[in-house]
């Protein structure tokens, strides 16, 4: 056991003395030390209840003969950080979470880990840490929030953002807006649609790193506590069998994750996080693979914001395993992949049938024959850009319009709420990428206001930043290369025509190669927005959004 580095031998007497100060008995010192990475805090609605999940995990570990030892991981609420400078820090925390977890685990010689995340960057950060550390690990998330209810209609956080747009357009009263504020988020848990947190918690299950229900059992259900106890017990079996994350997170596992991603219509942020996790696991994964898989994978689910269903509905319909079983009818699931149950994917999903064909469409009657995410390329995005195709109105799958160019989210939001954006426009928001932001802000506010003002099927938005998983409409993010490094998005001028064809996976700036070259020659880099602290270090080391915005050590010159 790794923990014997702290407990075994005469020379470790001082270490045992410190463990004695924790109240650890001599018997406990002989047992495996299981690190429980708790993302509990009193800031994030999806995390405020995680102390209860952690207590259940501890009980499971102890029942199975291990010694649970809890330490924290930070988490940012993207909803609370939205629309102000705090959002610059959200994606950055993914790397901070991975790095700090690595430091704690190696410094204290844990034998195995149970990760307890829930929201946004917290889940991929801990998955990256799991792959990097490669000791037996299992995940149990905090689970999704129940849907809200406003005047008899179920709703979620994204509806509140859109309600702000309706209010700005004069189509919603203050009283109605107040009703959304009071009732859209009724419980703890990750926001109730197929937003980033729930996308990543579902894909954790698909990757094989979490037990059945990890992504879909609501936070307030007692079965969520039972799941946590089971995860605590199961980690001891994984430790005994020496099954590690890199045994589980294999090329087949990532293939399955991309496949289910397309079927569920997950957040476009998965196109940042899956490559970053695969990078840590040593598994090749690029955005071309996503398009290849999308071409043969039907979109089976329209959960919010794409439709009127929510995570609790997916759980009642059979959950992620039922979706995988539907996909298996077409031979799209690689069933031999190993999982944290110590069984294969095929063994796990056997018997989980689709219980509600309105929530999980049968493969014979999908929402679309291709996947819910599309990766576009063209002279405006030579490396790639990403759109949640499942949440795009049919009339916007192909669109051409004049560019309305803004160099920050704030400028664009002011123009949108000021009524300066017209039907047919293509709003371009640049210098918001990983380096340029810095931090690649998620921009739900402008997209939601556009939708709320009734322009969601008439206006496209393009950015080198990110859009929220709660975003719907022709919102195209992750444009790479980004403006800060001189990517073509930096060369767009007001009034240029931009052609978007989501079905053909193309995005073009309608200017000649000669004009593009002339503009590139005239372009000059901008001074960094932030020159100190973690954001400055991040901007210096971060790669393109098309590569998952992972960090790399800058090359030295000899």
């Amino acid at each position: 056991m790794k923990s014997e580095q702290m407990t075994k031998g005469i020379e470790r007497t001082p270490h045992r003395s410190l463990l004695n100060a924790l109240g650890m008995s001599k018997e406990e010192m002989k047992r495996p030390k299981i690190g429980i990475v708790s993302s509990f805090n009193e800031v994030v609605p999806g995390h405020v209840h995680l102390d209860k999940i952690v207590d259940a995990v501890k009980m499971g570990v102890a029942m199975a003969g291990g010694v649970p030892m809890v330490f924290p991981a930070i988490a940012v609420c993207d909803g609370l950080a939205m629309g102000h400078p705090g959002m610059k820090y959200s994606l950055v925390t993914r790397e901070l979470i991975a790095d700090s977890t690595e430091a704690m685990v190696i410094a204290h010689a844990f034998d195995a880990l149970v990760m307890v995340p829930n929201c946004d960057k917290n889940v991929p950060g801990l998955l990256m840490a799991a792959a990097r550390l490669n000791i037996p690990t299992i995940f149990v998330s905090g689970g999704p929030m129940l849907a809200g209810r406003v005047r008899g209609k179920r709703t979620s956080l994204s509806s509140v953002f859109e309600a702000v747009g309706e209010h700005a357009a004069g189509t919603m009263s203050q009283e109605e807006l107040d009703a959304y504020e009071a009732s859209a988020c009724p419980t703890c848990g990750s926001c109730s649609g197929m937003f980033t947190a729930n996308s990543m918690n579902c894909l954790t299950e698909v990757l094989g790193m979490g037990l059945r229900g990890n992504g879909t059992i609501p936070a307030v259900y007692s079965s969520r506590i039972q799941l946590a106890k089971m995860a605590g017990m199961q980690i001891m079996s994984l430790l005994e069998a020496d099954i590690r994350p890199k045994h589980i997170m294999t090329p087949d596992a990532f293939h399955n994750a991309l496949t289910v991603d397309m079927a569920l219509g997950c957040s476009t942020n998965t196109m940042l996080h899956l490559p970053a996790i695969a990078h840590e696991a040593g598994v090749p994964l690029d955005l071309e693979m996503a398009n290849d898989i999308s071409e043969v994978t039907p979109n089976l689910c329209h959960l919010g914001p794409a439709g009127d269903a929510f995570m609790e509905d997916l759980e009642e319909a059979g959950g992620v395993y039922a979706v995988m079983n539907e996909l298996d009818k077409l031979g799209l699931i690689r069933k031999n992949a190993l999982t944290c149950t110590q069984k294969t994917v095929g063994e796990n999903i056997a018997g989980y049938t689709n219980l509600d064909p309105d929530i999980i469409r049968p493969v014979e009657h999908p929402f679309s024959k291709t996947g819910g995410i599309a990766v576009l390329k063209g002279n405006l995005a030579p490396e790639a850009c990403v759109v949640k195709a499942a949440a795009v109105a049919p009339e916007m799958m192909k669109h051409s319009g004049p560019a309305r160019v803004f160099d920050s989210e704030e400028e664009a939001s002011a123009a949108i709420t000021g009524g300066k954006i017209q039907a047919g426009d293509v709003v371009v928001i640049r210098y918001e990428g990983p380096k340029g932001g810095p931090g690649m802000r998620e921009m739900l506010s402008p997209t939601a206001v556009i939708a709320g003002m009734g322009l969601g099927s008439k206006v496209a938005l393009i950015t080198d930043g990110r859009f929220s998983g709660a975003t719907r409409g022709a919102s195209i993010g992750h444009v790479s290369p980004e403006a800060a490094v001189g990517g073509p998005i930096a060369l767009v001028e007001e009034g240029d025509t931009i052609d978007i064809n989501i079905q053909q996976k193309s995005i073009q700036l309608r200017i000649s190669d000669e004009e593009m070259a002339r503009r590139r020659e005239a372009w000059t880099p901008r001074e960094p927005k932030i020159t100190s602290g973690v954001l400055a270090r991040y901007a210096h080391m971060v790669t393109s959004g098309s590569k998952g915005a992972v960090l790399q050590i800058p090359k030295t010159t000899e």
Side-chain angles (χ1 to χ4, degrees):
M1 296 188 300
K2 288 183 181 292
S3 60
E4 289 179 346
Q5 297 174 60
M6 298 188 300
T7 60
K8 193 172 184 179
I10 295 297
E11 67 277 13
R12 297 301 183 233
T13 300
H15 302 67
R16 292 193 296 274
S17 179
L18 289 167
L19 294 174
N20 186 64
L22 295 176
M24 192 175 291
S25 68
K26 291 186 182 298
E27 177 59 34
E28 287 175 303
M29 290 187 197
K30 298 174 186 177
R31 295 185 179 188
K33 309 302 182 291
I34 311 301
I36 302 175
V37 188
S38 171
S39 303
F40 166 78
N41 64 47
E42 295 182 347
V43 180
V44 184
H47 290 231
V48 71
H49 66 302
L50 293 188
D51 55 338
K52 307 297 189 297
I53 304 296
V54 167
D55 285 346
V57 171
K58 288 172 65 177
M59 184 175 293
V61 168
M63 285 192 296
V67 179
M69 302 179 74
V70 180
F71 65 90
I74 63 170
V76 164
C77 175
D78 278 17
L80 291 174
M82 195 76 65
H84 62 85
M87 181 48 75
K88 292 179 183 289
Y89 287 84
S90 174
L91 185 58
V92 176
T93 65
R94 187 186 73 180
E95 319 309 313
L96 295 174
I97 291 162
D99 293 348
S100 58
T101 302
E102 174 194 350
M104 283 294 290
V105 171
I106 295 179
H108 300 104
F110 286 105
D111 297 302
L113 297 169
V114 183
M115 305 291 201
V116 187
N118 211 28
C119 290
D120 297 300
K121 314 311 163 292
N122 190 248
V123 182
L126 290 179
L127 282 165
M128 290 165 67
R132 187 185 303 174
L133 291 161
N134 201 35
I135 63 174
T137 303
I138 196 169
F139 278 65
V140 56
S141 78
M145 182 184 293
L146 294 178
R149 189 173 293 274
V150 177
R151 300 187 175 183
K153 181 181 179 181
R154 292 196 306 162
T155 188
S156 69
L157 179 66
S158 62
S159 298
V160 188
F161 279 92
E162 293 184 14
V164 172
E166 293 182 53
H167 184 265
T171 58
M172 178 178 286
S173 69
Q174 184 64 48
E175 181 184 9
E176 291 173 304
L177 185 62
D178 291 345
Y180 275 94
E181 178 182 328
S183 304
C185 299
T187 73
C188 61
S190 49
C191 295
S192 55
M194 187 54 77
F195 310 151
T196 304
N198 293 327
S199 296
M200 290 309 304
N201 284 325
C202 286
L203 295 185
T204 297
E205 199 174 323
V206 180
L207 282 169
M209 293 297 293
L211 300 175
R212 197 222 75 82
N214 179 73
T216 54
I217 296 173
V220 294
Y221 282 14
S222 57
S223 50
R224 174 63 57 178
I225 298 295
Q226 293 165 349
L227 184 71
K229 292 176 183 176
M230 291 166 59
M233 291 185 282
Q234 184 60 21
I235 191 59
M236 300 305 296
S237 295
L238 291 171
L239 176 60
E240 183 178 3
D242 194 28
I243 295 175
R244 306 179 191 182
K246 288 185 179 178
H247 296 144
I248 294 171
M249 289 195 280
T250 61
D252 282 351
F254 282 99
H255 181 278
N256 287 340
L258 283 170
T259 300
V260 177
D261 191 340
M262 298 303 164
L264 288 174
C266 289
S267 164
T268 53
N269 283 314
T270 62
M271 294 295 101
L272 279 177
H273 301 323
L274 286 176
I277 300 161
H279 174 75
E280 294 286 356
V283 174
L285 190 158
D286 60 37
L287 296 184
E288 290 297 322
M289 292 173 59
N291 261 355
D292 292 344
I293 290 172
S294 180
E295 282 297 314
V296 297
T297 305
N299 177 224
L300 305 181
C301 298
H302 269 192
L303 283 79
D308 296 325
F310 298 92
M311 295 304 297
E312 61 208 73
D313 302 314
L314 180 58
E315 168 65 12
E316 291 176 12
V320 171
Y321 281 11
V323 175
M324 296 176 78
N325 254 329
E326 280 293 337
L327 294 170
D328 187 47
K329 294 177 182 177
L330 300 177
L332 298 175
I333 296 297
R334 297 185 177 177
K335 294 194 291 185
N336 289 328
L338 182 65
T339 73
C340 66
T341 65
Q342 297 175 263
K343 298 177 182 178
T344 65
V345 166
E347 291 173 311
N348 284 347
I349 68 175
Y352 285 93
T353 56
N354 182 357
L355 302 177
D356 190 340
D358 290 330
I359 302 300
I360 305 171
R361 287 276 187 94
V363 291
E364 297 84 4
H365 306 289
F367 284 102
S368 66
K369 292 182 179 180
T370 56
I373 292 177
V375 177
L376 316 183
K377 283 190 175 183
N379 69 348
L380 186 55
E383 289 181 4
C385 57
V386 180
V387 63
K388 188 170 184 174
V392 177
E395 56 267 40
M396 289 299 291
M397 295 297 282
K398 184 177 181 181
H399 179 77
S400 295
R404 303 298 310 281
V405 182
F406 305 95
D407 288 349
S408 70
E409 178 187 0
E410 288 82 2
E411 291 179 21
S413 293
I416 294 166
T417 56
K420 297 179 181 179
I421 301 303
Q422 306 299 317
D425 286 348
V426 179
V427 176
V428 177
I429 308 174
R430 63 191 182 189
Y431 294 99
E432 290 286 5
K435 288 184 179 293
M440 203 178 187
R441 281 195 286 182
E442 189 173 276
M443 291 178 269
L444 176 57
S445 295
T447 62
V449 172
I450 284 280
M453 295 176 76
L455 295 172
S457 60
K458 301 170 185 175
V459 170
L461 295 95
I462 298 174
T463 184
D464 52 7
R466 300 182 294 126
F467 290 120
S468 167
T471 288
R472 62 187 176 97
S475 302
I476 300 166
H478 311 187
V479 172
S480 303
E482 62 175 291
V485 299
I489 193 173
L491 312 179
V492 181
E493 296 181 358
E494 186 81 8
D496 284 347
T497 299
I498 294 176
D499 299 321
I500 301 163
N501 192 321
I502 295 173
Q503 290 175 327
Q504 293 186 6
K505 312 294 193 297
S506 72
I507 183 165
Q508 294 288 133
L509 178 62
R510 202 188 295 177
I511 62 173
S512 67
D513 292 345
E514 292 76 17
E515 175 63 13
M516 183 79 83
R518 185 194 67 77
R519 294 184 188 182
R520 184 174 288 110
E521 183 67 25
W523 179 82
T524 55
R526 302 203 170 184
E527 290 296 318
K529 295 177 184 176
I530 295 175
T531 57
S532 63
V534 66
L535 288 179
R537 293 197 299 273
Y538 182 85
H540 184 58
M541 299 176 68
V542 71
T543 60
S544 167
S546 65
K547 297 179 181 178
V550 298
L551 301 186
Q552 64 181 6
I553 299 171
K555 294 181 180 179
T556 56
T557 56
E558 297 182 0

